[in-house]
Amino acid sequence: MNGASRSRVGLAVGLAAALLLAALVISPMLMVSIPTIMGGAGGSTTDCDDDVQLEEASDSASSDIPRDLLELYKKHGKKIGVQWNVLAAVGKRETDHGRSDLPGVKSGTNYAGAAGPMQFLISTWGGKARIPIPSKFNGYASDGDDDGIADVYNPADAILGAARMLKRNGAPENIRRALFVYNRAWWYVDQVEEIAKRYAESGEVKLPPQADPACDDPLVEAAPSDVVAKIMEYALAQRGKPYLWGGTGPDAYDCSGIIYMAYRSAGLSIPRTTFGQWPFGVKIPAGSEQPGDLVFFNAGPGTGPNNPGHVGMVVEKGKMIEARCKLCGPIKVTGYRTRDTLMGFTRPLQNPAVLEQLKKLDDAL
């Protein structure tokens, strides 16, 4: 798991090895065999933005998951872009949705330092159970109820933190890999996946529904200029294609490759790599970014405090199109505000060389 469950992996090779890993609280209710998957029709649809409908909860989910937690699993799953039923299955397998009375669930830690309903190691949460947000370093500490505090015992905070961890490690596309990182045991992955299937009305672990491509039209129409609209049109048309390190299309791209080619589609030349794109554009204060601007992250190979290793392109406030990594699934529109590695924004269109290119394009018309 987040590290909290890893101790049990080591039980097979001895307690000494197990104590080096993160522990998972096991309640008696969680040790029962997993029931068979329940079926039913899927409830997802394709719509725009916040109107996208989530997988419907099965009768089993509705009867087993406390109502307030079910809403939190759905809310934060949708916000981060992971399957709510997988989040709920983790909560069930870890602490029976916080109902377990074992050490570390409601206060303190268990013998390996794990705490809260989603069983985070305190070290992976940020060093202590309650942390003001924002903080210089907070690990997966998250503020899910907007009270300014990331509290590992608060279900709203813990569920958001778990969603962020699953997302970082491969969810929603590679959910088995993400669950394996959460708790490094394949039997754990199998059990959580079975619970997740039982919680979904469809009886499956599906990819979260995506916005219909027709929803791109309003994004392009809202572009601040015809040039940005052309850049966005190209970038959005690459959705669904795979990530390829060094790729510049037409079949696959890396993070900076899709941006480089999107600008080329509008007749503009910018640096090819993330490392070149970061100093190239004019820095833009957070909150002032607009479509076509670039958003950079302290993530990826060769990264550093002023040397971002990953880049996306803003398509509207809070959203970007990105080619993230090979294990992260295809190119898609995602949110950037919840990424704790966000470094800043730039506007390539304000670089003097690009302004000169734009002038030449205007003169040629």
Side-chain angles (χ1 to χ4, degrees):
M1 156 184 141
N2 41 45
S5 303
R6 296 182 185 173
S7 61
R8 294 184 303 175
V9 180
L11 290 176
V13 292
L15 182 58
L19 291 174
L20 295 175
L21 301 172
L24 168 67
V25 170
I26 310 171
S27 76
M29 294 184 67
L30 300 183
M31 296 302 293
V32 298
S33 60
I34 306 301
T36 357
I37 299 168
M38 294 185 178
S44 30
T45 62
T46 53
D47 254 313
C48 294
D49 304 324
D50 293 335
D51 293 330
V52 171
Q53 299 300 306
L54 300 177
E55 169 80 75
E56 293 292 340
S58 66
D59 291 342
S60 175
S62 298
S63 62
D64 184 43
I65 305 171
R67 184 183 297 272
D68 57 339
L69 292 194
L70 180 57
E71 292 305 312
L72 288 172
Y73 291 132
K74 289 184 174 182
K75 174 184 175 182
H76 293 315
K78 185 174 184 179
K79 177 179 181 179
I80 301 302
V82 303
Q83 297 91 333
W84 74 262
N85 52 317
V86 172
L87 271 178
V90 170
K92 174 67 175 180
R93 187 63 186 82
E94 295 299 328
T95 65
D96 191 25
H97 305 301
R99 289 182 287 229
S100 170
D101 290 324
L102 290 178
V105 178
K106 299 179 176 69
S107 63
T109 63
N110 67 5
Y111 69 94
M118 303 302 280
Q119 286 295 275
F120 278 92
L121 277 181
I122 294 299
S123 60
T124 64
W125 188 253
K128 53 185 179 179
R130 300 181 80 251
I131 298 175
I133 296 294
S135 62
K136 186 174 181 181
F137 171 76
N138 61 15
Y140 288 106
S142 302
D143 180 12
D145 57 1
D146 299 320
D147 65 354
I149 300 293
D151 184 346
V152 75
Y153 305 107
N154 180 343
D157 298 349
I159 290 169
L160 177 57
R164 291 172 59 214
M165 183 170 188
L166 291 172
K167 179 76 171 183
R168 178 175 290 183
N169 291 295
E173 292 85 6
N174 197 337
I175 198 64
R176 288 183 62 81
R177 177 183 182 274
L179 288 170
F180 185 79
V181 175
Y182 204 90
N183 177 19
R184 295 180 182 274
W186 287 114
W187 56 262
Y188 173 89
V189 174
D190 291 340
Q191 290 185 4
V192 170
E193 197 169 30
E194 286 303 306
I195 298 170
K197 290 175 180 178
R198 178 161 53 92
Y199 279 167
E201 189 179 68
S202 66
E204 300 175 25
V205 175
K206 294 182 175 181
L207 284 175
Q210 301 296 311
D212 191 299
C215 298
D216 293 347
D217 294 340
L219 292 177
V220 173
E221 289 167 6
S225 69
D226 290 342
V227 170
V228 173
K230 193 166 186 179
I231 292 168
M232 288 177 61
E233 256 185 326
Y234 181 95
L236 289 166
Q238 311 316 310
R239 291 198 311 183
K241 294 182 180 180
Y243 174 94
L244 176 66
W245 187 81
T248 54
D251 299 320
Y253 301 80
D254 66 10
C255 66
S256 56
I258 185 174
I259 292 167
Y260 171 73
M261 293 303 295
Y263 272 76
R264 276 192 59 175
S265 74
L268 303 174
S269 178
I270 66 171
R272 161 66 185 87
T273 67
T274 305
F275 300 134
Q277 290 171 2
W278 170 243
F280 183 79
V282 173
K283 299 296 187 295
I284 301 297
S288 301
E289 70 274 13
Q290 62 186 26
D293 291 344
L294 307 188
V295 51
F296 293 86
F297 302 87
N298 185 9
T303 193
N306 194 38
N307 198 37
H310 180 59
V311 61
M313 188 175 78
V314 177
V315 295
E316 69 174 351
K317 282 285 180 68
K319 293 185 179 181
M320 64 180 171
I321 186 163
E322 65 169 339
R324 190 170 184 184
C325 72
K326 192 169 184 178
L327 292 174
C328 301
I331 295 167
K332 55 185 173 292
V333 173
T334 61
Y336 56 76
R337 285 175 173 156
T338 59
R339 300 272 184 93
D340 56 9
T341 55
L342 195 156
M343 284 181 58
F345 303 87
T346 71
R347 188 165 295 160
L349 292 176
Q350 288 187 354
N351 179 282
V354 174
L355 290 174
E356 184 62 30
Q357 293 171 44
L358 288 169
K359 183 177 184 303
K360 289 180 179 178
L361 290 172
D362 285 340
D363 291 344
L365 294 178

